[in-house]
Each structure stands twice: as structure tokens, then as C-alpha cells.
């Protein structure tokens, strides 16, 4: 079992602290494995098996736990008679009706140190979950970023070029690394994840009747990753195929897909006016492998894929991300963390003076002192320009200097 140390190190300070640890993220992103890593960490410090209660709602073994009362009774029945610390782990807790009532009670009564996972971003935003406000800390778990992908592949840095091609094609779901790395095998595996998320976390959870419409919307987003998009654009495209759909329906389907972590929305920010704009956002997929599932491996998608990979790296490192507008110029990413910013432009290749002028031009207009990068897949680089750093995308993803 590979250790995803970046997440484990974030969680460790909260072990045995009186807050509920909530791990959220798309299915198969590694939440269950992280729970097992935490259990291993506890055992290495002397915690005994009878102090650990582990419930995995994806397992038929726990099919009988359907409601908060059944969860409460099961846990109470497992607590040893002698007074000792108890650690409760519940995986995919959203499958238990009104789970918040039981978890809230366990926390109030100090019955256990609590760890829960869920595959829906609305997990802690429901009316009932507000009962837990101030009593939990949330950790967002993503599929592998490129540096983790290399670790799972057990590939040295000098092999990173060929592995980056694999990553751009297949994405970062950890389970890939138990598979034979061939197109047929990986495609079937990714199809299975995608269909499970669509059916269980979007269609069933939101009582969607028109599954084909939902799939058309997500496919449109996959085909337009990195492009500015609106719900009206999507509605107009679907109408052009002689189908009826309202903008409101498109917005709802997008929201529910975001709740299931299939897609992320990145808002647009007016750098000069210092205000967030309500229209013309970008959408990115939670894993680059979904583009392979939905659109194949088309070279025409390369620029959008590269932007998608950079976006996933930024949020993995804890940045809040927006796209930028300066007058009529666009900035691919404004990334903010702890009061600091970085500005990023991404391109496949800076192939001629026109492309170079376009990619550097918008950043040259921004006069603040925050770091600015132009990222591309070029192998030979010229000098930085007026403080704007030019880097290879792969090197940027692996760098710890930003």
C-alpha cells in the first residue's frame, strides 16, 4: 500500500483531537486507503484492534446499517466494557440516512475519535449537517497528481517524460496501478468508475430521469476543458441537436455533477476591477482520465488537458483558483493561498512570436510583484521576460519551489 504522505501529514495533527475528521472526494480517489493508513498509524502507536470500529458502506457486510439509529446501536454494541479510547471510521457515510444525528451524538458524548468519508461535496452542507458546524475539519482527497503518479509507478524522475504521457492519457485514479497498463484494460476500468459515479452519486441521488441529457452535458464539458463556457452555451449546443433543454436544467445538472466531484467550476476574476465576474467560467474534470473515457485521446484536446492537469495540481497544493481578465486579455489561472498569489499562462508549445506575445502579453500588463509563470511543453527555453518565468509544465508540476 503506497503512502500518500501529503494527506497523511495533514490529518495526523488532528488524531485524538475533539474534531470530526471528514474526508471528501470522488469515488476511488483513495479515501478508503487513507482511512486504512490512519488505522496503521494508530496501531503503530499501540492502539489495539478492539479499540477500532471500521464500517465500509460499500461492503455488503454493513448493508444492515441503513439509518442513524442502526449506526448508533451498532457502534454502542462494539464499545469494550473497559474504559479505553475508541476510534470510529465510517466509509461512504452518505449511504446512511440522517447519519449526522449519530455522529453528532458520538461527538457530544465523547464516545470516539471520529473519521468519516463521503463522495458528495454537499456532505457537510445539508440542513442536518449544520448541527456539526464548528466540530469538524474537512480534507478534500483527489486522484493522484503527477508527482504521486510517479511514486505509484515507481518511476524515477528520468523516466518522467514517458510517464507524463501515461498520466495525460489515463489520469490519476490510484487503482490504475493495480492494472495492466494497456488501453483496453485502463479504458474499461475508467469506464466503470465513471458509470458508478454518474449512476450512484448523480442520477440516483438527485432522481434524474434524463440520463442521456446529463451525459451530453458532461461530454460537452469534457470536449471544452480549458475553454470559457456558460450554461447558455451548453443549452444552445444541445438545442442545435434538436433536443429541448432549459438553461436552468443545465445549471442543475452541472451543480449535481460538481457535488459528485466529477467536474470543478473555476470563476472568472477581473484583475483590474478587482471583482469576481458572474459569467464565463471554465470547467475542469476531477481526473484527466475522464477525458479519455468521454472523448478518447485526441491530440486536439492537448491544450485543455494540460490546463486541467495544472488546475488539479494547484488545488492539491491548497490554492484557491480563478481565471483572470485584464481588459480584453485573459489569464489562465490566478492562484491564491495565505495572502499570496501566482499568475499562470499555459500553452502546448510557444511555437512562434505570435504565440509568445499572446502568452506573455497578458501577464506583462499586471504590475504587481506576485510571481508570474508561462508554462509550456517546450524542451528548450529562452530567458525569462521582465520577471515572468518560463517553465516546462512537467518540471513545474514536480517543482517544490512555488
Amino acid at each position: 500500500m503506497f503512502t500518500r504522505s501529503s494527506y497523511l501529514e495533514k490529518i495526523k495533527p488532528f488524531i485524538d483531537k475533539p474534531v470530526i475528521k471528514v474526508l471528501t472526494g470522488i469515488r476511488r480517489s483513495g479515501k478508503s486507503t487513507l482511512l486504512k493508513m490512519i488505522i496503521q498509524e494508530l496501531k503503530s502507536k499501540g492502539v489495539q484492534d478492539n479499540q477500532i470500529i471500521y464500517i465500509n458502506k460499500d461492503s455488503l457486510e454493513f448493508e444492515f446499517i441503513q439509518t442513524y439509529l442502526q449506526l448508533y446501536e451498532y457502534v454502542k454494541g462494539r464499545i469494550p466494557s473497559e474504559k479505553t479510547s475508541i476510534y470510529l471510521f465510517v466509509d461512504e457515510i452518505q449511504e446512511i440516512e440522517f447519519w449526522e444525528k449519530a455522529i453528532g451524538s458520538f461527538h457530544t458524548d465523547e464516545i470516539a475519535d471520529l473519521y468519516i468519508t463521503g463522495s458528495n461535496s454537499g456532505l457537510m452542507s445539508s440542513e442536518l449537517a449544520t448541527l456539526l458546524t464548528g466540530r469538524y475539519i474537512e480534507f478534500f482527497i483527489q486522484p493522484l497528481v503527477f508527482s504521486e503518479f510517479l511514486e505509484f509507478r515507481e518511476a524515477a524522475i528520468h523516466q518522467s517524460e514517458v510517464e507524463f504521457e501515461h498520466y495525460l492519457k489515463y489520469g490519476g485514479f490510484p487503482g490504475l496501478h493495480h492494472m495492466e497498463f494497456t488501453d483496453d484494460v485502463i479504458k474499461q476500468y475508467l469506464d466503470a468508475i465513471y458509470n458508478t459515479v454518474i449512476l450512484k452519486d448523480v442520477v440516483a441521488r438527485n432522481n434524474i430521469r434524463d440520463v442521456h441529457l446529463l451525459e451530453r452535458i458532461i461530454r460537452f464539458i469534457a470536449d471544452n476543458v480549458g475553454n470559457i463556457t456558460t450554461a447558455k452555451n451548453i443549452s444552445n449546443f444541445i438545442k442545435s441537436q434538436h433536443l429541448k433543454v432549459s438553461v436552468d436544467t443545465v445549471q442543475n445538472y452541472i451543480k449535481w455533477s460538481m457535488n459528485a466531484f466529477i467536474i470543478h467550476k473555476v470563476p472568472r476574476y477581473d484583475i483590474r476591477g478587482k471583482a469576481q465576474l458572474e459569467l464565463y467560467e471554465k470547467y475542469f474534470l476531477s481526473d484527466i482520465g475522464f477525458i479519455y473515457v468521454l472523448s478518447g485521446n485526441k491530440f486536439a484536446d492537448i491544450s485543455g488537458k494540460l490546463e486541467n492537469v495544472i488546475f488539479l495540481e494547484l488545488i492539491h497544493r491548497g490554492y484557491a483558483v480563478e481565471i483572470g481578465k485584464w481588459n480584453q486579455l485573459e489569464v489562465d489561472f490566478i492562484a491564491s493561498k495565505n495572502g499570496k498569489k501566482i499568475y499562470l499562462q499555459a500553452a502546448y508549445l510557444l511555437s512562434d512570436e505570435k504565440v509568445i506575445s499572446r502568452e506573455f502579453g497578458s501577464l506583462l500588463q499586471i504590475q504587481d510583484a506576485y510571481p508570474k509563470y508561462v508554462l509550456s511543453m517546450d524542451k528548450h527555453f529562452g530567458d525569462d521576460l521582465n520577471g515572468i518565468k518560463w517553465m516546462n509544465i512537467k518540471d513545474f508540476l514536480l517543482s517544490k519551489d512555488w
Side-chain angles (χ1 to χ4, degrees):
M1 183 164 59
F2 290 91
T3 301
R4 298 185 73 181
S5 55
S6 62
Y7 291 116
L8 199 55
E9 291 306 312
K10 289 176 185 176
I11 296 168
K12 275 183 183 179
F14 298 95
I15 293 175
D16 286 319
K17 298 299 189 291
V19 289
I20 303 161
K21 277 66 72 174
V22 182
L23 280 61
T24 57
I26 194 167
R27 287 180 187 269
R28 303 294 177 261
S29 60
K31 302 186 298 297
S32 302
T33 301
L34 272 166
L35 290 189
K36 292 172 184 176
M37 289 177 183
I38 297 166
I39 291 170
Q40 284 185 347
E41 177 75 14
L42 292 172
K43 289 184 176 180
S44 73
K45 294 182 177 180
V47 173
Q48 302 300 305
D49 286 343
N50 68 342
Q51 294 176 254
I52 296 169
I53 303 172
Y54 176 74
I55 298 166
N56 184 353
K57 278 300 293 172
D58 273 347
S59 169
L60 285 176
E61 180 182 355
F62 300 101
E63 178 70 16
F64 68 94
I65 300 178
Q66 296 290 331
T67 69
Y68 73 97
L69 286 175
Q70 291 165 334
L71 173 61
Y72 185 83
E73 290 166 2
Y74 176 79
V75 171
K76 289 286 283 185
R78 294 288 305 277
I79 296 175
S81 55
E82 67 274 13
K83 189 168 179 60
T84 185
S85 298
I86 299 299
Y87 299 86
L88 174 62
F89 299 82
V90 187
D91 205 355
E92 300 295 356
I93 199 165
Q94 76 277 354
E95 304 297 334
I96 300 173
E97 188 178 24
F98 300 141
W99 59 268
E100 301 95 329
K101 292 185 177 182
I103 295 299
S105 179
F106 295 148
H107 183 270
T108 298
D109 298 339
E110 299 180 356
I111 284 175
D113 191 22
L114 301 165
Y115 302 80
I116 63 177
T117 79
S119 299
N120 191 285
S121 66
L123 188 70
M124 303 307 297
S125 61
S126 69
E127 186 175 340
L128 271 174
T130 58
L131 298 171
L132 306 181
T133 299
R135 295 190 279 176
Y136 71 90
I137 183 163
E138 189 169 354
F139 303 91
F140 175 53
I141 312 302
Q142 299 171 237
L144 308 177
V145 293
F146 182 51
S147 58
E148 293 178 307
F149 183 91
L150 285 180
E151 290 179 27
F152 273 57
R153 289 284 286 163
E154 299 181 328
I157 296 300
H158 67 268
Q159 297 172 285
S160 62
E161 190 162 328
V162 66
E163 293 301 344
F164 191 56
E165 292 178 10
H166 284 141
Y167 183 66
L168 276 179
K169 187 175 186 180
Y170 297 147
F173 280 106
L176 292 174
H177 302 277
H178 300 294
M179 306 288 168
E180 181 183 345
F181 251 53
T182 64
D183 287 356
D184 287 345
V185 171
I186 298 299
K187 181 74 159 48
Q188 288 183 57
Y189 178 72
L190 292 173
D191 273 333
I193 294 176
Y194 175 76
N195 289 326
T196 299
V197 174
I198 286 291
L199 293 175
K200 293 192 74 170
D201 297 326
V202 185
V203 174
R205 183 160 295 278
N206 300 288
N207 298 314
I208 290 175
R209 293 182 180 177
D210 195 341
V211 180
H212 292 298
L213 175 60
L214 171 67
E215 291 179 334
R216 283 176 184 271
I217 291 169
I218 298 175
R219 189 178 300 275
F220 180 94
I221 289 171
D223 286 338
N224 289 275
V225 160
N227 296 327
I228 290 173
T229 305
T230 67
K232 191 172 190 316
N233 292 152
I234 299 172
S235 174
N236 288 342
F237 171 76
I238 292 171
K239 286 176 181 176
S240 73
Q241 298 181 320
H242 310 291
L243 297 170
K244 291 183 179 180
V245 62
S246 69
V247 172
D248 286 345
T249 298
V250 172
Q251 287 175 330
N252 282 332
Y253 281 22
I254 288 174
K255 179 181 71 174
W256 295 332
S257 299
M258 289 170 58
N259 286 346
F261 302 109
I262 297 172
I263 57 178
H264 297 275
K265 181 170 76 172
V266 182
R268 198 166 181 238
Y269 182 79
D270 186 337
I271 301 169
R272 192 171 186 177
K274 297 183 178 179
Q276 195 170 95
L277 303 172
E278 294 185 3
L279 293 175
Y280 305 112
E281 53 268 352
K282 286 186 180 182
Y283 292 94
F284 294 100
L285 297 179
S286 60
D287 186 79
I288 204 74
F290 284 158
I291 295 179
Y292 185 43
V293 169
L294 295 166
S295 302
N297 191 39
K298 298 179 294 189
F299 180 76
D301 295 334
I302 186 65
S303 294
K305 282 185 174 182
L306 292 171
E307 278 196 42
N308 206 135
V309 166
I310 294 166
F311 168 75
L312 294 174
E313 183 71 37
L314 290 169
I315 61 173
H316 175 75
R317 298 197 189 197
Y319 284 90
V321 182
E322 297 168 305
I323 57 174
K325 173 183 177 294
W326 183 283
N327 292 333
Q328 301 305 310
L329 300 174
E330 298 289 339
V331 177
D332 288 333
F333 296 113
I334 308 168
S336 308
K337 182 170 72 170
N338 301 329
K340 297 181 179 181
K341 291 181 184 177
I342 57 175
Y343 299 95
L344 302 157
Q345 285 287 93
Y348 174 50
L349 294 172
L350 301 189
S351 53
D352 55 42
E353 288 298 325
K354 183 178 179 181
V355 178
I356 291 172
S357 176
R358 183 187 70 217
E359 298 302 335
F360 280 88
S362 55
L363 297 182
L364 287 170
Q365 300 298 313
I366 304 169
Q367 297 299 309
D368 64 34
Y370 293 121
K372 301 171 182 68
Y373 295 87
V374 171
L375 307 176
S376 71
M377 292 303 295
D378 294 276
K379 295 181 181 179
H380 303 288
F381 290 83
D383 296 329
D384 297 345
L385 180 62
N386 291 355
I388 299 171
K389 192 170 181 62
W390 181 12
M391 285 186 73
N392 180 275
I393 291 173
K394 175 176 61 65
D395 294 339
F396 178 81
L397 297 174
L398 297 176
S399 172
K400 299 186 185 301
D401 295 334
W402 56 274

